[in-house]
Amino acid sequence: MELDFFSGAFFASWLAASVRLAGPLLLVALGELYSERSGVLNIGIEGTMLLGAIASYLVAWQSGSTWFGLMGGILIGCIAGTYLSWMYITVQASQVVVGIIFNIFALGVASYVYRLALRGVSGPQTVEMFKPIAIPFLSEIPFIGPVLFNHTILLYATAGLVAVAGYVLFRTKFGLNLRAVGENPAAAETAGIRVSHMRYMCVIISGAAAGASGAYLVLAQIGQFRDTIVAGQGFIALAIVIFGRWSPYKAALAALIFGAADALQLSIQLFQIDLPPQLFLSLPYVLTILAMSGLVGKANQPEALMVPYRKE
Amino acid sequence: MSSPYLSAQKIVKRFPGVIANNQVDFTVNRGEIHALLGENGAGKSTLMQILYGMYQMDSGKISIEGKQRHIHTSKDAIKAGIGMVHQEFMLVRRFSVVENIVLGMDSDGITGNLTRARERIRDLSKTHGLHVDPDQVIEHLPVGAQQRVEILKLLFREAQLLILDEPTAVLTPQETAALFQVLRHLAEQGHAIVIVTHKLHEIMSVSDRVTIMRDGCVVSALETRNSSENQLAKLMVGRDVSLRVTRSVRPRGKPILKISDLHVTDDRNQKAVTGIDITLHAGEVLGLAGVDGNGQSELAQALLNLRAIQSGQVKMADVDLTHRSPAEHHRNRLAYVPADRRHVGALMGLSIARNVILGSHGKYASQFGLLDEKKINRFAKELVRRFDVRPSDVDYMAGKLSGGNLQKILLGREIMRDPLAYVIEQPTRGLDVGAVEAVWREILSERDAGKAILLISAELEEILNLSDRIAVIYEGRIMGIVEAGDASIEKIGLMMAGVLPDSEAPEIRR
């Protein structure tokens, strides 16, 4: 293909793809932000995304409605979040171990259910997807229009949720209480805040967001289910939270960077560049490893992150 | 007398194996400062935590102004007008003063507009002499100011009953006096105030009434002015006590431990010790006084190389130990008794016998590395007998020992090793009076045997009772070193607050 690497057209399509791919990452990261700000590291979002994906796929397929599909994903996310918060908060099991085991469990369940559902059906079924909505006038602005204003409702909603999270976490009483629980649960409890309620709520929020994000992948990106549909995007979201310094706006920026890295490896395969595509494929994961290894710095990390709280 | 503000009747609280509160009656009136006195484990904290909704009582009745109230959570307590300042402050470090104060409150809608709260805090702090800037972040405030924030937090919630758990533990004598003035003023305005403490002189100077607890029961409740320190001590301990030790005057020996220009950082990589010079001589107790958190623990850890030394030197009888392993410190006869007995000093899951050989276990093993149980038991039994550890069963788990008995083991373990110098940190923190006596006796007898002892303690009384010389640490620096004969509480207190004694030039470097 005779595309110039530095042409405006390439650039615009790359950026549009970046925004598109950043959507689900940002959605799950925003949920995780609530959970981590309340002091719980919910690694289970990876598996929850997968469960959300399979649930939304099956519901959308059977009902023929994308909206029902989305709701199915959110519902299963809430259920997963409830189970995980029970393990994290009431049982007080190690958050890392529970999260990892849950992810393995989710992988097994999702692929089993998928195979069960496909019995007697010829080949994978494609479901109806959310259509891009071009925003009048704005989408006609050259360059910026196609990059920012021609996306599905899910992306616009996710962008809105960034502002919601920023407002809730930093401008409301509820947000103040929530952050206090993540910083010093004992102090929060003595101030009359119910630490375990708050944490349950936040983990369930992160579950709902992860379920929705899984549905996002199915209903706005590929229209099918695959075992590898999530492929570590939940883990990448954990990295996004760290890169974003536990702030929703910075997390949005971080999600865009990961989205851009992902989009780059897709587009780069169109060019005859003498580098193995696997190198680019691994880019988001390399960034994730960097984030998790603490090289990025943990300036705003909640002090009680991963510290269980037991009321005396 | 009018009816009490709060009255707790026949409170019973059981924990597995112990009755923490046994039919406890407790009343407090508006307008009074009420002291709750008792040794560690007497049940006073349990009682206060029940009043504040952190524990549930098994039976009993709590009424406020004559009406029975059920308190199941802190929120219930706050609603009932009860507020508590915990010994460890319940503040979110990274929040501002005003954010900490409004935390958890339902009023003001969801948006949490802080302007009105700020104004009210300014008003409250002006009325009650609790000076603090509402927009400061907690982690930048000194401890005294943090305590003021805690009190403001209660006043903001319109608490009528203020409970303060060991409020003076982290204050200098001058800060303590200022706090008492605030409390007195609050009492005059009709608040009811409870201070939980074990410091008798504070009770005498500030309280109107005192309730004394022992072994989970209230032994007496009386008017402070009708009692005396001796009487209170006797009621608290249950027998006659004399916390006066006799310390013979003896000449200082030759220098043993030399610390020069030591610099150490804390866990957050902030400077904790900035250029300390101390020379410790044979046959002396050098007391290191200071408010907790001024670099004492970092200094102690650095001396044993349990914390990295940035620069400077630690020399033990001319051997440079600065960057050597703790084992080498032992070999060069420097002993350490840490402040945290349960986590640093001992292995709680192991027996007494195993704990007493820690650090010298090489001596109790055969050439194939197998432990010689007979030899260990013989040694452990000797130690237990000599230091009167109870129970005397050497297979007893260390984790089940009382603080006093555990401390006897830690101290005994080091003494049996016959060191030349000791670093002893908070040796009597949380111990009951009987155990304090025993520990003090051992420290002084080691001194009389010509050992050099660096005694790090936040209890000024302990420092004044045991030391030959007193060094005062403030923000990681030594403010001065004073001979015991020239020391007074006022003088040391000022130095603890960072004020240099003006009358004479401090004897800093020697």
Side-chain angles (χ1 to χ4, degrees):
Chain A
M1 206 179 290
E2 276 309 299
L3 261 174
D4 180 6
F5 190 77
F6 296 101
S7 75
F10 165 75
F11 215 58
S13 75
W14 173 45
L15 286 183
S18 305
V19 174
R20 202 165 55 238
L21 293 171
L25 286 174
L26 181 53
L27 182 56
V28 61
L30 284 176
E32 179 69 14
L33 198 57
Y34 284 88
S35 174
E36 292 197 17
R37 276 284 183 179
S38 80
V40 180
L41 183 76
N42 184 7
I43 292 181
I45 51 173
E46 168 85 9
T48 309
M49 275 180 85
L50 193 62
L51 294 181
I54 183 73
S56 68
Y57 172 74
L58 293 178
V59 173
W61 174 25
Q62 296 299 324
S63 69
S65 155
T66 37
W67 285 103
F68 280 167
L70 177 65
M71 280 186 272
I74 293 174
L75 184 68
I76 206 81
C78 288
I79 294 169
T82 309
Y83 167 73
L84 285 168
S85 47
W86 178 70
M87 287 300 284
Y88 296 143
I89 299 152
T90 306
V91 180
Q92 304 210 329
S94 154
Q95 295 173 9
V96 174
V97 173
V98 168
I100 289 175
I101 299 297
F102 181 81
N103 291 341
I104 296 171
F105 161 80
L107 186 61
V109 168
S111 51
Y112 174 67
V113 169
Y114 180 59
R115 273 155 195 76
L116 218 57
L118 279 193
R119 269 199 313 202
V121 184
S122 57
Q125 301 292 304
T126 306
V127 297
E128 189 85 7
M129 290 207 283
F130 284 102
K131 301 277 181 302
I133 302 167
I135 296 183
F137 308 119
L138 290 177
S139 61
E140 284 153 36
I141 305 171
F143 194 76
I144 297 175
V147 171
L148 291 180
F149 300 110
N150 192 11
H151 290 284
T152 62
I153 180 85
L154 293 181
L155 187 91
Y156 300 134
T158 302
L161 286 175
V162 174
V164 169
Y167 185 77
V168 167
L169 286 173
F170 298 102
R171 293 273 174 277
T172 65
K173 275 275 165 61
F174 173 77
L176 187 72
N177 293 354
L178 188 162
R179 287 182 290 129
V181 166
E183 292 284 337
N184 185 346
E189 186 84 39
T190 53
I193 301 166
R194 301 179 76 172
V195 172
S196 56
H197 284 212
M198 187 64 97
R199 288 189 166 173
Y200 259 91
M201 203 181 329
C202 290
V203 174
I204 292 171
I205 288 174
S206 79
S213 173
Y216 194 143
L217 295 174
V218 172
L219 302 173
Q221 294 200 337
I222 43 181
Q224 289 184 356
F225 179 82
R226 292 180 208 131
D227 293 348
T228 55
I229 188 169
V230 177
Q233 295 197 56
F235 294 125
I236 290 175
L238 296 175
I240 286 172
V241 173
I242 296 173
F243 273 118
R245 300 274 154 107
W246 290 268
S247 138
Y249 298 106
K250 290 181 194 149
L253 202 65
L256 279 176
I257 293 171
F258 277 93
D262 206 9
L264 186 65
Q265 61 89 7
L266 286 176
S267 338
I268 218 104
Q269 294 179 30
L270 300 176
F271 300 99
Q272 261 80 54
I273 292 178
D274 209 9
L275 282 169
Q278 287 83 354
L279 201 66
F280 294 98
L281 208 58
S282 68
L283 207 57
Y285 303 99
V286 172
L287 284 177
T288 303
I289 289 171
L290 282 179
M292 304 302 263
S293 62
L295 287 174
V296 183
K298 311 219 153 159
N300 284 327
Q301 177 172 329
E303 289 214 332
L305 185 61
M306 294 177 70
V307 183
Y309 175 70
R310 194 181 293 278
K311 197 179 160 186
E312 282 174 278
Chain B
M1 205 161 55
S2 62
S3 71
Y5 175 70
L6 174 138
S7 122
Q9 288 155 2
K10 301 214 174 342
I11 304 287
V12 177
K13 174 73 188 174
R14 290 185 199 86
F15 289 119
V18 271
I19 301 183
N21 278 179
N22 189 0
Q23 304 279 334
V24 169
D25 291 329
F26 179 74
T27 61
V28 51
N29 303 315
R30 278 184 183 279
E32 75 169 357
I33 299 182
H34 192 118
L36 182 59
L37 175 69
E39 296 201 296
N40 272 57
K44 44 190 205 307
S45 292
T46 307
L47 179 62
M48 291 302 112
Q49 306 232 16
I50 287 172
L51 294 184
Y52 194 61
M54 302 190 77
Y55 286 145
Q56 304 301 309
M57 58 191 174
D58 296 329
S59 68
K61 194 176 130 189
I62 296 171
S63 10
I64 288 167
E65 301 196 299
K67 265 188 291 186
Q68 187 171 356
R69 298 294 287 254
H70 296 279
I71 296 173
H72 299 297
T73 63
S74 306
K75 209 164 192 159
D76 297 343
I78 294 165
K79 258 187 224 139
I82 302 172
M84 182 158 172
V85 177
H86 297 257
Q87 193 176 355
E88 255 179 61
F89 296 154
M90 293 296 180
L91 297 170
V92 180
R93 276 198 321 118
R94 286 203 285 225
F95 283 10
S96 69
V97 170
V98 57
E99 286 175 325
N100 265 286
I101 288 175
V102 301
L103 194 63
M105 292 186 67
D106 298 325
S107 54
D108 277 354
I110 60 153
T111 52
N113 187 339
L114 298 179
T115 321
R116 260 194 310 154
R118 240 177 236 122
E119 244 157 65
R120 245 195 93 201
I121 292 167
R122 286 211 186 90
D123 281 351
L124 282 172
S125 59
K126 214 174 291 163
T127 335
H128 300 289
L130 293 157
H131 303 293
V132 66
D133 173 5
D135 288 309
Q136 280 273 343
V137 176
I138 296 296
E139 61 184 340
H140 299 145
L141 290 177
V143 182
Q146 293 187 10
Q147 188 174 53
R148 293 199 285 277
V149 176
E150 284 279 26
I151 296 173
L152 280 171
K153 202 158 111 184
L154 308 190
L155 297 176
F156 194 89
R157 282 148 208 254
E158 286 165 355
Q160 299 303 306
L161 170 65
L162 278 64
I163 303 169
L164 293 96
D165 192 1
E166 301 277 0
T168 61
V170 290
L171 302 182
T172 65
Q174 283 80 5
E175 284 175 317
T176 302
L179 170 70
F180 285 170
Q181 222 173 344
V182 169
L183 295 182
R184 179 49 60 202
H185 179 245
L186 287 170
E188 276 161 13
Q189 298 205 317
H191 288 93
I193 292 176
V194 176
I195 60 171
V196 180
T197 183
H198 63 273
K199 292 182 182 167
L200 297 169
H201 59 273
E202 286 179 356
I203 291 176
M204 299 310 294
S205 75
V206 73
S207 73
D208 303 304
R209 278 202 308 148
V210 50
T211 295
I212 301 130
M213 290 187 73
R214 189 172 73 227
D215 297 333
C217 302
V218 168
V219 282
S220 182
L222 36 87
E223 304 264 324
T224 312
R225 67 181 124 82
N226 298 335
S227 69
S228 67
E229 255 184 68
N230 275 338
Q231 186 196 2
L232 293 181
K234 197 169 156 184
L235 284 167
M236 171 168 78
V237 184
R239 60 182 169 82
D240 274 311
V241 281
S242 65
L243 259 185
R244 294 276 169 271
V245 282
T246 43
R247 195 162 45 81
S248 56
V249 179
R250 45 169 296 157
R252 201 178 290 152
K254 59 180 194 317
I256 302 277
L257 178 70
K258 266 195 201 140
I259 306 163
S260 32
D261 200 23
L262 201 66
H263 290 259
V264 184
T265 57
D266 65 13
D267 293 337
R268 296 204 180 99
N269 243 343
Q270 305 292 309
K271 285 179 185 166
V273 173
T274 51
I276 281 190
D277 296 276
I278 293 173
T279 304
L280 194 59
H281 296 259
E284 75 162 347
V285 174
L286 175 61
L288 186 66
V291 177
D292 254 351
N294 272 287
Q296 296 96 317
S297 16
E298 287 83 2
L299 171 66
Q301 290 159 4
L303 290 180
L304 274 291
N305 200 15
L306 296 168
R307 175 179 290 277
I309 293 170
Q310 305 297 311
S311 68
Q313 208 180 31
V314 178
K315 268 173 108 173
M316 182 76 193
D318 293 327
V319 182
D320 186 350
L321 289 176
T322 313
H323 297 292
R324 311 282 277 279
S325 71
E328 296 228 33
H329 286 70
H330 267 148
R331 228 167 290 141
N332 283 284
R333 300 172 74 191
L334 176 63
Y336 178 45
V337 181
D340 188 347
R341 297 186 274 273
R342 289 182 187 274
H343 296 105
V344 181
L347 296 171
M348 303 315 285
L350 294 187
S351 66
I352 293 178
R354 283 286 185 276
N355 270 288
V356 296
I357 62 160
L358 277 184
S360 40
H361 40 274
K363 268 172 42 189
Y364 298 93
S366 71
Q367 51 185 345
F368 304 113
L370 296 173
L371 289 173
D372 183 347
E373 297 292 345
K374 263 194 207 137
K375 205 169 158 190
I376 294 170
N377 274 342
R378 211 179 315 126
F379 174 71
K381 277 188 184 136
E382 189 193 332
L383 186 145
V384 162
R385 187 164 16 85
R386 180 169 155 194
F387 296 97
D388 190 26
V389 177
R390 287 173 213 181
S392 59
D393 172 14
V394 299
D395 294 324
Y396 196 75
M397 219 202 337
K400 293 189 192 157
L401 287 169
S402 71
N405 284 302
L406 186 60
Q407 186 67 315
K408 286 180 193 167
I409 286 186
L410 299 195
L411 200 55
R413 179 173 79 198
E414 302 308 320
I415 290 173
M416 300 285 264
R417 243 178 239 167
D418 190 26
L420 284 174
Y422 293 87
V423 176
I424 302 181
E425 220 187 330
Q426 317 293 356
T428 59
R429 178 169 285 172
L431 301 194
D432 56 36
V433 177
V436 170
E437 272 183 305
V439 168
W440 283 7
R441 234 181 8 246
E442 291 299 340
I443 291 176
L444 285 180
S445 90
E446 282 303 286
R447 162 199 180 258
D448 292 339
K451 309 295 172 64
I453 294 162
L454 178 62
L455 170 69
I456 301 174
S457 175
E459 294 278 348
L460 208 42
E461 212 186 324
E462 178 164 74
I463 296 268
L464 290 168
N465 265 317
L466 299 183
S467 311
D468 298 290
R469 288 191 298 156
I470 299 168
V472 182
I473 190 169
Y474 173 74
E475 292 191 342
R477 282 175 305 122
I478 299 291
M479 296 303 293
I481 300 181
V482 192
E483 294 289 335
D486 304 332
S488 66
I489 290 205
E490 292 72 31
K491 188 166 166 184
I492 303 290
L494 280 174
M495 288 161 77
M496 282 162 70
V499 181
L500 274 172
D502 43 12
S503 49
E504 66 260 20
E507 183 192 2
I508 292 184
R509 274 158 209 266
R510 39 176 308 136

